[in-house]
């Protein structure tokens, strides 16, 4: 494995795909919790219900905090991808504009080429 970062690396792509899959699962779990919460509030009107509802409220609060962090991670990952794309584009333009006859290549080339 080289020390260079490659956006097209299979490991990077697999990590992003796994993150997307996990977020999708989290969204489904959150929707289920919201549905259960609404059903319990509408139909379970006993004193024992309040402790249970408080636990559901705690879970939903923690879920919302985690989802905010996952969304932030997703936005930052997208932003980093855009920066990498821009850098690759800039490097391509710069590299294409180099003239190997102007002496820069000779200065940057290894000795004894």
């Amino acid at each position: 494995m080289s020390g260079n970062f490659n956006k097209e690396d299979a490991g990077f792509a697999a990590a992003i795909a796994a993150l997307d899959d996990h977020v999708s699962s989290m969204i489904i779990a959150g929707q289920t919790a919201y549905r259960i919460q609404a059903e319990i509030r509408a139909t379970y009107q006993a004193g024992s219900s309040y402790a249970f509802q408080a636990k559901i409220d705690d879970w939903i609060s923690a879920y919302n905090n985690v989802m905010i962090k996952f969304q932030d991670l997703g936005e930052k990952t997208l932003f980093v991808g855009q920066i990498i794309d821009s850098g690759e584009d800039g490097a391509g333009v710069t590299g294409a504009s180099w003239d190997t006859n102007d002496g820069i290549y000779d200065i940057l080339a290894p000795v004894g080429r």
Side-chain angles (χ1 to χ4, degrees), residues 36-53:
I36 291 169
Q37 179 188 42
E39 290 174 6
I40 289 172
R41 286 202 171 129
T43 59
Y44 189 19
Q45 300 298 323
S48 60
S49 151
Y50 297 115
F52 186 62
Q53 288 183 41

PDB file of all heavy atoms in Angstrom, residues 36-53:
ATOM      1  N   ILE A  36     -43.585   4.237  16.853  1.00  0.00           N
ATOM      2  CA  ILE A  36     -43.914   3.602  18.137  1.00  0.00           C
ATOM      3  C   ILE A  36     -44.240   4.649  19.184  1.00  0.00           C
ATOM      4  O   ILE A  36     -45.202   4.499  19.952  1.00  0.00           O
ATOM      5  CB  ILE A  36     -42.754   2.689  18.584  1.00  0.00           C
ATOM      6  CG1 ILE A  36     -42.662   1.481  17.653  1.00  0.00           C
ATOM      7  CG2 ILE A  36     -42.938   2.252  20.037  1.00  0.00           C
ATOM      8  CD1 ILE A  36     -41.401   0.652  17.850  1.00  0.00           C
ATOM      9  N   GLN A  37     -43.459   5.711  19.220  1.00  0.00           N
ATOM     10  CA  GLN A  37     -43.697   6.789  20.180  1.00  0.00           C
ATOM     11  C   GLN A  37     -45.105   7.373  19.992  1.00  0.00           C
ATOM     12  O   GLN A  37     -45.841   7.572  20.962  1.00  0.00           O
ATOM     13  CB  GLN A  37     -42.640   7.880  20.007  1.00  0.00           C
ATOM     14  CG  GLN A  37     -42.808   9.057  20.951  1.00  0.00           C
ATOM     15  CD  GLN A  37     -41.853  10.192  20.606  1.00  0.00           C
ATOM     16  OE1 GLN A  37     -41.662  10.513  19.438  1.00  0.00           O
ATOM     17  NE2 GLN A  37     -41.247  10.773  21.635  1.00  0.00           N
ATOM     18  N   ALA A  38     -45.479   7.634  18.753  1.00  0.00           N
ATOM     19  CA  ALA A  38     -46.807   8.204  18.480  1.00  0.00           C
ATOM     20  C   ALA A  38     -47.918   7.229  18.869  1.00  0.00           C
ATOM     21  O   ALA A  38     -48.934   7.633  19.453  1.00  0.00           O
ATOM     22  CB  ALA A  38     -46.917   8.570  17.002  1.00  0.00           C
ATOM     23  N   GLU A  39     -47.727   5.952  18.564  1.00  0.00           N
ATOM     24  CA  GLU A  39     -48.745   4.952  18.910  1.00  0.00           C
ATOM     25  C   GLU A  39     -48.903   4.815  20.417  1.00  0.00           C
ATOM     26  O   GLU A  39     -50.033   4.708  20.917  1.00  0.00           O
ATOM     27  CB  GLU A  39     -48.385   3.596  18.289  1.00  0.00           C
ATOM     28  CG  GLU A  39     -48.531   3.560  16.781  1.00  0.00           C
ATOM     29  CD  GLU A  39     -48.034   2.261  16.168  1.00  0.00           C
ATOM     30  OE1 GLU A  39     -47.663   1.318  16.914  1.00  0.00           O
ATOM     31  OE2 GLU A  39     -48.007   2.185  14.922  1.00  0.00           O
ATOM     32  N   ILE A  40     -47.799   4.825  21.130  1.00  0.00           N
ATOM     33  CA  ILE A  40     -47.868   4.697  22.592  1.00  0.00           C
ATOM     34  C   ILE A  40     -48.544   5.919  23.203  1.00  0.00           C
ATOM     35  O   ILE A  40     -49.402   5.784  24.079  1.00  0.00           O
ATOM     36  CB  ILE A  40     -46.455   4.485  23.183  1.00  0.00           C
ATOM     37  CG1 ILE A  40     -45.959   3.084  22.814  1.00  0.00           C
ATOM     38  CG2 ILE A  40     -46.455   4.678  24.696  1.00  0.00           C
ATOM     39  CD1 ILE A  40     -44.515   2.840  23.167  1.00  0.00           C
ATOM     40  N   ARG A  41     -48.179   7.084  22.741  1.00  0.00           N
ATOM     41  CA  ARG A  41     -48.802   8.303  23.279  1.00  0.00           C
ATOM     42  C   ARG A  41     -50.305   8.326  23.018  1.00  0.00           C
ATOM     43  O   ARG A  41     -51.069   8.840  23.823  1.00  0.00           O
ATOM     44  CB  ARG A  41     -48.135   9.537  22.693  1.00  0.00           C
ATOM     45  CG  ARG A  41     -46.773   9.766  23.292  1.00  0.00           C
ATOM     46  CD  ARG A  41     -46.333  11.207  23.162  1.00  0.00           C
ATOM     47  NE  ARG A  41     -45.128  11.383  23.955  1.00  0.00           N
ATOM     48  CZ  ARG A  41     -44.023  11.923  23.521  1.00  0.00           C
ATOM     49  NH1 ARG A  41     -43.962  12.392  22.295  1.00  0.00           N
ATOM     50  NH2 ARG A  41     -42.976  12.032  24.301  1.00  0.00           N
ATOM     51  N   ALA A  42     -50.709   7.781  21.878  1.00  0.00           N
ATOM     52  CA  ALA A  42     -52.121   7.811  21.507  1.00  0.00           C
ATOM     53  C   ALA A  42     -52.940   6.731  22.215  1.00  0.00           C
ATOM     54  O   ALA A  42     -54.125   6.927  22.463  1.00  0.00           O
ATOM     55  CB  ALA A  42     -52.271   7.645  19.998  1.00  0.00           C
ATOM     56  N   THR A  43     -52.308   5.608  22.563  1.00  0.00           N
ATOM     57  CA  THR A  43     -53.114   4.480  23.051  1.00  0.00           C
ATOM     58  C   THR A  43     -52.761   3.982  24.446  1.00  0.00           C
ATOM     59  O   THR A  43     -53.579   3.323  25.069  1.00  0.00           O
ATOM     60  CB  THR A  43     -52.992   3.283  22.088  1.00  0.00           C
ATOM     61  OG1 THR A  43     -51.615   2.889  21.994  1.00  0.00           O
ATOM     62  CG2 THR A  43     -53.518   3.650  20.708  1.00  0.00           C
ATOM     63  N   TYR A  44     -51.586   4.262  24.942  1.00  0.00           N
ATOM     64  CA  TYR A  44     -51.143   3.712  26.223  1.00  0.00           C
ATOM     65  C   TYR A  44     -51.234   4.808  27.282  1.00  0.00           C
ATOM     66  O   TYR A  44     -50.314   5.564  27.488  1.00  0.00           O
ATOM     67  CB  TYR A  44     -49.719   3.185  26.068  1.00  0.00           C
ATOM     68  CG  TYR A  44     -49.162   2.379  27.220  1.00  0.00           C
ATOM     69  CD1 TYR A  44     -49.959   1.792  28.187  1.00  0.00           C
ATOM     70  CD2 TYR A  44     -47.789   2.192  27.324  1.00  0.00           C
ATOM     71  CE1 TYR A  44     -49.419   1.047  29.218  1.00  0.00           C
ATOM     72  CE2 TYR A  44     -47.234   1.444  28.346  1.00  0.00           C
ATOM     73  CZ  TYR A  44     -48.060   0.875  29.290  1.00  0.00           C
ATOM     74  OH  TYR A  44     -47.521   0.135  30.319  1.00  0.00           O
ATOM     75  N   GLN A  45     -52.361   4.878  27.955  1.00  0.00           N
ATOM     76  CA  GLN A  45     -52.644   5.968  28.886  1.00  0.00           C
ATOM     77  C   GLN A  45     -52.598   5.515  30.338  1.00  0.00           C
ATOM     78  O   GLN A  45     -53.436   5.896  31.137  1.00  0.00           O
ATOM     79  CB  GLN A  45     -54.023   6.569  28.571  1.00  0.00           C
ATOM     80  CG  GLN A  45     -54.166   7.129  27.173  1.00  0.00           C
ATOM     81  CD  GLN A  45     -53.220   8.281  26.888  1.00  0.00           C
ATOM     82  OE1 GLN A  45     -52.961   9.108  27.760  1.00  0.00           O
ATOM     83  NE2 GLN A  45     -52.690   8.328  25.686  1.00  0.00           N
ATOM     84  N   ALA A  46     -51.639   4.708  30.704  1.00  0.00           N
ATOM     85  CA  ALA A  46     -51.498   4.257  32.091  1.00  0.00           C
ATOM     86  C   ALA A  46     -50.315   4.956  32.730  1.00  0.00           C
ATOM     87  O   ALA A  46     -49.445   5.495  32.051  1.00  0.00           O
ATOM     88  CB  ALA A  46     -51.295   2.741  32.110  1.00  0.00           C
ATOM     89  N   GLY A  47     -50.283   4.947  34.062  1.00  0.00           N
ATOM     90  CA  GLY A  47     -49.174   5.572  34.778  1.00  0.00           C
ATOM     91  C   GLY A  47     -47.832   4.959  34.430  1.00  0.00           C
ATOM     92  O   GLY A  47     -46.819   5.657  34.363  1.00  0.00           O
ATOM     93  N   SER A  48     -47.815   3.658  34.198  1.00  0.00           N
ATOM     94  CA  SER A  48     -46.562   2.986  33.853  1.00  0.00           C
ATOM     95  C   SER A  48     -46.054   3.407  32.479  1.00  0.00           C
ATOM     96  O   SER A  48     -44.887   3.217  32.158  1.00  0.00           O
ATOM     97  CB  SER A  48     -46.754   1.474  33.899  1.00  0.00           C
ATOM     98  OG  SER A  48     -47.758   1.086  32.973  1.00  0.00           O
ATOM     99  N   SER A  49     -46.910   3.979  31.689  1.00  0.00           N
ATOM    100  CA  SER A  49     -46.538   4.397  30.349  1.00  0.00           C
ATOM    101  C   SER A  49     -45.546   5.552  30.366  1.00  0.00           C
ATOM    102  O   SER A  49     -44.722   5.680  29.461  1.00  0.00           O
ATOM    103  CB  SER A  49     -47.801   4.771  29.592  1.00  0.00           C
ATOM    104  OG  SER A  49     -47.568   5.730  28.624  1.00  0.00           O
ATOM    105  N   TYR A  50     -45.604   6.391  31.377  1.00  0.00           N
ATOM    106  CA  TYR A  50     -44.765   7.591  31.394  1.00  0.00           C
ATOM    107  C   TYR A  50     -43.277   7.254  31.475  1.00  0.00           C
ATOM    108  O   TYR A  50     -42.456   7.890  30.801  1.00  0.00           O
ATOM    109  CB  TYR A  50     -45.194   8.529  32.517  1.00  0.00           C
ATOM    110  CG  TYR A  50     -46.609   9.022  32.323  1.00  0.00           C
ATOM    111  CD1 TYR A  50     -47.620   8.686  33.217  1.00  0.00           C
ATOM    112  CD2 TYR A  50     -46.945   9.789  31.215  1.00  0.00           C
ATOM    113  CE1 TYR A  50     -48.923   9.112  33.016  1.00  0.00           C
ATOM    114  CE2 TYR A  50     -48.251  10.214  31.001  1.00  0.00           C
ATOM    115  CZ  TYR A  50     -49.226   9.878  31.905  1.00  0.00           C
ATOM    116  OH  TYR A  50     -50.518  10.296  31.706  1.00  0.00           O
ATOM    117  N   ALA A  51     -42.924   6.257  32.283  1.00  0.00           N
ATOM    118  CA  ALA A  51     -41.518   5.854  32.378  1.00  0.00           C
ATOM    119  C   ALA A  51     -41.044   5.283  31.043  1.00  0.00           C
ATOM    120  O   ALA A  51     -39.938   5.581  30.578  1.00  0.00           O
ATOM    121  CB  ALA A  51     -41.326   4.835  33.491  1.00  0.00           C
ATOM    122  N   PHE A  52     -41.910   4.475  30.422  1.00  0.00           N
ATOM    123  CA  PHE A  52     -41.570   3.889  29.130  1.00  0.00           C
ATOM    124  C   PHE A  52     -41.438   4.969  28.070  1.00  0.00           C
ATOM    125  O   PHE A  52     -40.495   4.965  27.267  1.00  0.00           O
ATOM    126  CB  PHE A  52     -42.631   2.848  28.743  1.00  0.00           C
ATOM    127  CG  PHE A  52     -42.302   2.092  27.492  1.00  0.00           C
ATOM    128  CD1 PHE A  52     -41.179   1.289  27.409  1.00  0.00           C
ATOM    129  CD2 PHE A  52     -43.133   2.187  26.388  1.00  0.00           C
ATOM    130  CE1 PHE A  52     -40.881   0.582  26.258  1.00  0.00           C
ATOM    131  CE2 PHE A  52     -42.843   1.487  25.222  1.00  0.00           C
ATOM    132  CZ  PHE A  52     -41.718   0.683  25.162  1.00  0.00           C
ATOM    133  N   GLN A  53     -42.358   5.918  28.066  1.00  0.00           N
ATOM    134  CA  GLN A  53     -42.296   7.015  27.100  1.00  0.00           C
ATOM    135  C   GLN A  53     -41.051   7.865  27.320  1.00  0.00           C
ATOM    136  O   GLN A  53     -40.441   8.352  26.347  1.00  0.00           O
ATOM    137  CB  GLN A  53     -43.555   7.875  27.206  1.00  0.00           C
ATOM    138  CG  GLN A  53     -44.789   7.199  26.649  1.00  0.00           C
ATOM    139  CD  GLN A  53     -46.000   8.105  26.696  1.00  0.00           C
ATOM    140  OE1 GLN A  53     -45.909   9.292  26.408  1.00  0.00           O
ATOM    141  NE2 GLN A  53     -47.151   7.538  27.067  1.00  0.00           N
TER     142      GLN A  53
END
